[in-house]
Amino acid sequence: MVIVMVPKAKKSQIDKVINSVKKDGLKPHVSKGEERKLILVIGDERKLNLDHIKAIEGVEKVHPILKPYKLASREVQKEDTIIKVDHLKIGGDSLVYMAGPCTIESEKQLIKIAKSIKKSGAQILRGGAFKPRTSPYAFQGLGEKGLKFMQKAKKETGLVTISEVMDTHDVDLVAKYVDILQIGTRNMQNFQLLKAVGKVKNPVMLKRGMTATFDEFLMAAEYIMSEGNKKVILCERGIRTFVKYTRNTLDLNIVPVLKEMTHLPIIIDVSHSTGIRKIVRPMARAAVAAGAHGLMIETHYSPEDSYSDAAQTVDLDEFKKIVKETQAIENILKNMN
Amino acid sequence: MVIVMVPKAKKSQIDKVINSVKKDGLKPHVSKGEERKLILVIGDERKLNLDHIKAIEGVEKVHPILKPYKLASREVQKEDTIIKVDHLKIGGDSLVYMAGPCTIESEKQLIKIAKSIKKSGAQILRGGAFKPRTSPYAFQGLGEKGLKFMQKAKKETGLVTISEVMDTHDVDLVAKYVDILQIGTRNMQNFQLLKAVGKVKNPVMLKRGMTATFDEFLMAAEYIMSEGNKKVILCERGIRTFVKYTRNTLDLNIVPVLKEMTHLPIIIDVSHSTGIRKIVRPMARAAVAAGAHGLMIETHYSPEDSYSDAAQTVDLDEFKKIVKETQAIENILKNMN
Amino acid sequence: MVIVMVPKAKKSQIDKVINSVKKDGLKPHVSKGEERKLILVIGDERKLNLDHIKAIEGVEKVHPILKPYKLASREVQKEDTIIKVDHLKIGGDSLVYMAGPCTIESEKQLIKIAKSIKKSGAQILRGGAFKPRTSPYAFQGLGEKGLKFMQKAKKETGLVTISEVMDTHDVDLVAKYVDILQIGTRNMQNFQLLKAVGKVKNPVMLKRGMTATFDEFLMAAEYIMSEGNKKVILCERGIRTFVKYTRNTLDLNIVPVLKEMTHLPIIIDVSHSTGIRKIVRPMARAAVAAGAHGLMIETHYSPEDSYSDAAQTVDLDEFKKIVKETQAIENILKNMN
Amino acid sequence: MVIVMVPKAKKSQIDKVINSVKKDGLKPHVSKGEERKLILVIGDERKLNLDHIKAIEGVEKVHPILKPYKLASREVQKEDTIIKVDHLKIGGDSLVYMAGPCTIESEKQLIKIAKSIKKSGAQILRGGAFKPRTSPYAFQGLGEKGLKFMQKAKKETGLVTISEVMDTHDVDLVAKYVDILQIGTRNMQNFQLLKAVGKVKNPVMLKRGMTATFDEFLMAAEYIMSEGNKKVILCERGIRTFVKYTRNTLDLNIVPVLKEMTHLPIIIDVSHSTGIRKIVRPMARAAVAAGAHGLMIETHYSPEDSYSDAAQTVDLDEFKKIVKETQAIENILKNMN
């Protein structure tokens, strides 16, 4: 860490910084800058109470050198994390497809969709039983009943399953019925929930918050990992910007950047990051071309009749085309390297 | 609601929209637009499944006419909501001051601060017992022990108290020890938590999400109110933008706008919306001049030594000056009208 | 257009709206909404003075139905615009590569780069002679001398050339020496400059403003086209968001959306939209997979020694790889359809 | 400046950085960090070619210590810049009011407004002769004819005048007829225009770009000042965010921050930063309470009939109230200090 003092900082102020650094067990080193003093901190700066340093009168700025996360970083683990569920691998060289309805509506609906997407190449079935709706008056999901349908769909098709958990209360319940727990974008910094899913055995897919920075995203993963659960999958789902035409702005830059910063797999939710059915396919192609480990796509046999997110849901035929085109890109790129 | 069809929409598509509107119990009315058909919806459009309409092929855009919230709107309740806690009124013509440390550190610390801010004019003591920290390795708060100190501080000073609740699990616990429950910015759309605080008797202060629109903010309030708890206080705490110099961008436009849209009181958290101690005072003045019902300000006798948010915490003297200057503005404005 | 009145709008207010609409030569049609009156406008609403309507007391909101641009829209021209320069086609099914240094440094530098990129498959040479620098103290470009080097490089290699023009003053000068004029992101709404390049014969590549909406982007193109120059190429170069790790956030959603809205070609500047050399290649692949008509990539034989934008400049070998990988994607996708 | 190397950076990479720093005439100082090397740069880092440093392989990050601007900074000039026009002072302790129509419509209109605002307390008349309109089909202003009306209005009322200049071509023309030149938000980084107004004698009011950071804003001022014109007035006019309800988000945090960073006066354009007539008054109060040196407010005797920006234009009575209320705040605050 480099601590920058204001020009003409008093000796007493510099001493306060030095003492604060020493108190946290680190070594301060005052530089011979011309216009202002710099204090270098030698040692693991993550042990420092940044808040205290910043608050000392005479401190102008603080530049951290180290990343705030550890377990999620490439520095701690060099090789890619590969998460195994049944016979499926998520991460590394694999490309996975998560598809299914936004909301679980009935057993029949779910199984019909499950069978079709499996045939098209999907390995994971998604479906919402607990739904985060912006209106309290909107349908909130089938709850446990929906989860039971997921279990049944898995039995019939062999697909791995994923569903969202919204409350610490429901973690065990969801973990009992489905393979992978999903944390939604609005809960990316629901720290109690992160800790709770950090204690179960199921893998967790963590969606990026609507305006989370890359560091905040990885710190949320760190919350889960610090409780013992290392099976974390990251999911970009678009960020909120001034653009209103699309539901969100898909930030694909994050894919190659995260692949440098972390060993965890990265999935792109192409439905929420666009919000428009017609542009799901080109964006799915772009995500795979950028190097994503997988795609999540809301899929329904009759999108116009789905309970929620209908405008961004693709039909079963379109899903098939998406798999075909993205696999072609995946193959051509693999053969070139 | 106005539903806009694409140019040359097919009759079958228009019929689909008409039937969907009728199915939800509303009256469609097809207009005679020149370039494209418009379908007007007569009746309470909030009953419509917007998702279905948007998803029908041939629909280009949907313009809602009504606001999505009801209980929170001025249309349902004309007069200002005034929330009474002990002898204190929040809302209407009153101006309230919430002050205290970011984190409760000890009984002694809390009571020392409480006594001073009371003397300076504050009516409400804030203090964090459950702390939402971006790092899992940072101090997470004293929990119940901290809440007990709040209770004690109230006993000694008579101040009304407010503290954050982060999990459905802890709602009853926090409600037992403090007067007002606070929902933090990261939990503005933690819908299970909103429902849970909607069931207690304590007033709830809801902080705006980092990138919440005005409508989303009021819909989150609606979540609480729809469970029966009408005592909701709104709190602007700055939004996330491309600006990095200040911690957040304080959006004061929201004050006069919300006062038109809703009858609920609006408080400005001047600490988080700036992040810089030196600019808390001018921004506090601006907030009151814009018409806010109150201010929340992190205050400590020794800001540099506070456990968290030290850089934005003001000392007791500065708090006193803030109260003096903002009251002067409040008075001059009252006398002019 | 649909004009929404406030609940209980006065008759005099509604009359004012009606008269204003009639004055502009359009037909108003008052609807029988339940809670509030709606006024439908029949005819080409682009003739309406929107400002006046919005300002009338009693008007709550105005929903435009038509797009504000005409010449740039698919409604006016169905088939793709294909711009021919020498033997090169830009737009339609073609994929073009624009490469070269950020800043023209010397004749030798430019020609060395030009020869290499040509061999790798580029058809267009980029190079800055007038440089928009955030600091007045930074190198501002070689000016006319640089343009002459461009002319020479074209002569030696046969590459089509592109260079930025920053001021109405220099339009004729730049148009004399290079084939395509570039309008930079900071000048996307420099309306006088747009009009000036609308009067020359050279094609114009218009970069999206840092926070331009899709509509504003097309309206800027409309400015150029309305002066007579229909040869406009659109260029996405990343938008400004709260993300700081990358220089900008590449918004690839815009590619399939613009292809629906407009007939003009769309190029992706992969250098500015990332700012990081290492992620240029994956993002170039993503751009082509999303359907872009071409790529712009800052290229130098010794990126570390380039005068400007060194961190995002790739070397000649990397450029070769980019062309190879993106052409492979382009081919596989063409063969599938 | 502190240059941070990646962990295990090679000696050759570090040497390259060291040589690059030395070449620019500064002294590098390699630190003894534990996990990675840091290179401190001693001397005026503004002389360094940042681009080169960032581009060297092995460099992870670069932290500038000094601000990039000089002439605009408090470090170079401690005391407030006070700009005198006729008998008027802008900056320091003075509070100035700029009012008038968005667009100059006729001599009669302009003079009627000028007389009224003068009586209410305004010292400066604003009026647009060259109008930056998003549509090429919208009215573009009266041009020189409008400027002549400004000159006449000044003669009749004695008000100081301000009007926008949009093109290098028109600088001398506008400078001839009005006192203060305005650079609009879309031209904040039109560097040729900044240089051109840097060469005239008139004061220049520079509007903040829609997404300009504080540093970029001051660097644009620096452009003007570096050409010799030190009479620069800064103007915040709202920034673009995800909020759509208001036209822009007024960023008042900038007022106290800029007052620390620079000696130049800061004006708030309350019309563009809100876009809604009804909230102009509370925001004007907030701006003055935050410490602004003045206000710019679009004013018209009949806002509904104004040519442009009608929705945010206040009438003459409202303007009078704004002056009264803001002066009361100004006075009370002056008396307290």
Side-chain angles (χ1 to χ4, degrees), chain D residues 57-324:
Chain D
E57 289 291 335
V59 170
E60 188 173 278
K61 238 191 286 189
V62 170
H63 297 293
I65 304 298
L66 302 181
K67 291 288 169 197
Y69 46 89
K70 297 181 204 178
L71 303 173
S73 80
R74 280 273 185 212
E75 290 175 31
V76 162
Q77 181 186 320
K78 287 225 169 340
E79 61 285 0
D80 282 358
T81 283
I82 293 171
I83 294 165
K84 281 170 212 153
V85 194
D86 302 341
H87 297 293
L88 181 67
K89 286 180 189 172
I90 305 170
D93 287 334
S94 318
L95 183 61
V96 297
Y97 296 89
M98 306 177 170
C102 177
T103 301
I104 302 166
E105 297 163 17
S106 69
E107 188 184 323
K108 213 177 120 186
Q109 171 237 27
L110 195 64
I111 290 178
K112 184 172 171 183
I113 294 171
K115 285 183 175 167
S116 171
I117 58 161
K118 174 154 199 201
K119 224 170 124 184
S120 298
Q123 308 97 329
I124 304 175
L125 176 68
R126 59 148 290 144
F130 295 99
K131 298 299 304 171
R133 306 300 301 270
T134 42
S135 167
Y137 311 120
F139 176 59
Q140 312 268 320
L142 290 178
E144 185 169 4
K145 204 168 125 190
L147 295 174
K148 284 180 181 167
F149 297 158
M150 285 297 272
Q151 205 178 33
K152 217 157 189 181
K154 179 179 176 132
K155 221 170 173 177
E156 291 232 11
T157 59
L159 287 168
V160 167
T161 53
I162 180 170
S163 198
E164 178 163 354
V165 57
M166 288 169 62
D167 192 34
T168 50
H169 234 258
D170 301 321
V171 170
D172 289 339
L173 185 76
V174 182
K176 187 176 121 193
Y177 287 111
V178 301
D179 297 311
I180 307 174
L181 303 182
Q182 177 178 311
I183 302 291
T185 186
R186 293 172 184 80
N187 283 318
M188 194 202 82
Q189 291 193 319
N190 180 338
F191 300 119
Q192 304 306 97
L193 185 56
L194 297 179
K195 285 182 196 168
V197 299
K199 284 170 190 138
V200 299
K201 290 191 179 166
N202 311 49
V204 176
M205 185 166 90
L206 176 69
K207 288 200 161 185
R208 181 183 183 188
M210 278 183 210
T211 46
T213 62
F214 299 175
D215 276 1
E216 285 168 346
F217 194 11
L218 289 178
M219 281 307 275
E222 187 88 6
Y223 251 98
I224 301 170
M225 298 172 87
S226 71
E227 295 289 334
N229 189 345
K230 304 287 164 59
K231 290 177 280 185
V232 177
I233 303 161
L234 303 169
C235 178
E236 155 74 18
R237 45 77 70 203
I239 57 173
R240 180 164 281 187
T241 66
F242 61 89
V243 175
K244 281 291 159 290
Y245 195 92
T246 49
R247 183 167 174 175
N248 288 291
T249 297
L250 172 56
D251 178 11
L252 280 181
N253 279 346
I254 206 177
V255 175
V257 170
L258 282 190
K259 285 172 102 172
E260 291 254 326
M261 290 166 109
T262 185
H263 46 84
L264 300 171
I266 301 129
I267 302 293
I268 307 297
D269 170 349
V270 207
S271 305
H272 287 87
S273 52
T274 59
I276 303 171
R277 190 185 302 154
K278 276 186 196 170
I279 72 169
V280 167
R281 183 151 38 119
M283 288 304 105
R285 293 192 309 248
V288 170
H293 293 104
L295 299 173
M296 174 171 257
I297 296 167
E298 289 182 351
T299 314
H300 198 285
Y301 45 84
S302 174
E304 295 182 7
D305 297 320
S306 71
Y307 278 22
S308 54
D309 282 348
Q312 71 196 28
T313 299
V314 301
D315 67 22
L316 302 172
D317 265 359
E318 183 70 5
F319 177 69
K320 202 172 163 179
K321 283 184 203 159
I322 291 170
V323 174
K324 218 180 118 200

Side-chain angles (χ1 to χ4, degrees), chain B residues 104-238:
Chain B
I104 302 165
E105 296 164 16
S106 69
E107 188 183 322
K108 215 177 119 187
Q109 170 237 29
L110 194 64
I111 288 177
K112 182 171 171 185
I113 295 172
K115 284 184 176 166
S116 169
I117 59 161
K118 175 153 198 201
K119 225 170 126 184
S120 299
Q123 309 97 330
I124 304 174
L125 176 68
R126 61 147 291 145
F130 295 100
K131 297 301 304 171
R133 306 300 301 271
T134 41
S135 167
Y137 310 120
F139 177 57
Q140 311 268 319
L142 289 177
E144 185 167 5
K145 205 168 124 189
L147 296 174
K148 283 181 181 167
F149 297 158
M150 284 296 271
Q151 206 178 32
K152 218 157 189 179
K154 179 179 176 132
K155 223 171 171 175
E156 291 231 12
T157 59
L159 287 168
V160 168
T161 54
I162 181 169
S163 198
E164 179 164 352
V165 57
M166 287 170 61
D167 192 35
T168 52
H169 233 258
D170 302 322
V171 170
D172 289 339
L173 184 77
V174 182
K176 190 176 120 193
Y177 289 110
V178 302
D179 297 312
I180 307 174
L181 303 182
Q182 177 177 311
I183 302 291
T185 186
R186 292 173 184 81
N187 283 318
M188 193 202 84
Q189 290 193 319
N190 180 338
F191 299 119
Q192 304 306 98
L193 184 57
L194 297 180
K195 285 181 195 169
V197 299
K199 285 173 188 135
V200 300
K201 290 192 180 163
N202 311 48
V204 176
M205 186 167 88
L206 176 69
K207 288 199 162 185
R208 182 183 182 189
M210 276 181 212
T211 46
T213 63
F214 300 175
D215 275 1
E216 285 169 345
F217 194 11
L218 289 177
M219 281 306 276
E222 187 88 8
Y223 250 99
I224 301 170
M225 298 173 88
S226 72
E227 295 288 334
N229 189 346
K230 304 287 162 58
K231 290 177 280 185
V232 176
I233 303 160
L234 302 169
C235 178
E236 156 73 19
R237 43 79 69 204

Side-chain angles (χ1 to χ4, degrees), chain A residues 133-191:
Chain A
R133 306 301 300 270
T134 41
S135 167
Y137 309 120
F139 177 58
Q140 311 268 319
L142 289 177
E144 185 168 5
K145 204 168 126 189
L147 296 173
K148 284 182 180 166
F149 297 158
M150 284 296 271
Q151 205 178 34
K152 216 155 188 181
K154 179 179 177 132
K155 220 169 172 177
E156 291 231 11
T157 59
L159 288 168
V160 167
T161 53
I162 181 170
S163 198
E164 179 165 352
V165 57
M166 287 170 61
D167 192 34
T168 51
H169 234 258
D170 301 322
V171 170
D172 289 339
L173 185 77
V174 182
K176 188 175 123 194
Y177 289 110
V178 302
D179 297 311
I180 307 174
L181 303 182
Q182 179 178 310
I183 301 292
T185 186
R186 293 173 184 80
N187 283 317
M188 193 202 83
Q189 291 192 319
N190 180 338
F191 299 119

Side-chain angles (χ1 to χ4, degrees), chain B residues 11-65:
Chain B
K11 199 185 162 296
S12 63
Q13 295 171 332
I14 295 169
D15 287 347
K16 214 164 182 176
V17 173
I18 288 174
N19 290 334
S20 189
V21 170
K22 282 183 179 164
K23 221 181 85 189
D24 287 338
L26 297 158
K27 271 181 276 173
H29 174 78
V30 182
S31 88
K32 16 178 195 184
E34 265 173 26
E35 296 206 17
R36 58 196 82 194
K37 297 273 188 231
L38 306 186
I39 298 157
L40 252 69
V41 177
I42 318 291
D44 184 352
E45 67 192 46
R46 283 172 289 225
K47 289 177 194 153
L48 265 192
N49 188 325
L50 205 64
D51 267 332
H52 286 195
I53 304 287
K54 276 187 190 163
I56 296 174
E57 289 290 335
V59 170
E60 187 173 280
K61 239 194 282 188
V62 170
H63 297 293
I65 305 298

Side-chain angles (χ1 to χ4, degrees), chain C residues 16 49 51-57 68-71 130-138 140 166-170 186-187 189-193 195 210-213 216 219-220 222-223 226 240 244 277-278 303-312, chain D residues 16 49 51-57 68-71 130-138 140 166-170 186-187 189-193 195 210-213 216 219-220 222-223 226 240 244 277-278 303-312:
Chain C
K16 213 163 183 177
N49 188 326
D51 266 333
H52 287 194
I53 303 287
K54 276 186 188 165
I56 297 174
E57 289 289 335
Y69 47 89
K70 296 181 206 180
L71 303 173
F130 295 100
K131 298 299 304 170
R133 306 300 301 269
T134 41
S135 166
Y137 311 119
Q140 311 268 321
M166 288 170 62
D167 192 34
T168 50
H169 234 256
D170 302 321
R186 293 172 182 80
N187 282 318
Q189 292 193 319
N190 181 338
F191 299 120
Q192 304 308 98
L193 184 57
K195 285 182 196 168
M210 276 183 210
T211 45
T213 63
E216 285 168 346
M219 281 307 276
E222 188 87 8
Y223 251 98
S226 71
R240 180 165 282 188
K244 282 289 159 289
R277 190 186 302 154
K278 275 187 197 170
E304 296 182 7
D305 296 321
S306 70
Y307 278 23
S308 54
D309 281 350
Q312 70 196 29
Chain D
K16 213 164 183 176
N49 188 327
D51 266 333
H52 286 194
I53 303 287
K54 276 186 188 165
I56 296 174
E57 289 291 335
Y69 46 89
K70 297 181 204 178
L71 303 173
F130 295 99
K131 298 299 304 171
R133 306 300 301 270
T134 42
S135 167
Y137 311 120
Q140 312 268 320
M166 288 169 62
D167 192 34
T168 50
H169 234 258
D170 301 321
R186 293 172 184 80
N187 283 318
Q189 291 193 319
N190 180 338
F191 300 119
Q192 304 306 97
L193 185 56
K195 285 182 196 168
M210 278 183 210
T211 46
T213 62
E216 285 168 346
M219 281 307 275
E222 187 88 6
Y223 251 98
S226 71
R240 180 164 281 187
K244 281 291 159 290
R277 190 185 302 154
K278 276 186 196 170
E304 295 182 7
D305 297 320
S306 71
Y307 278 22
S308 54
D309 282 348
Q312 71 196 28

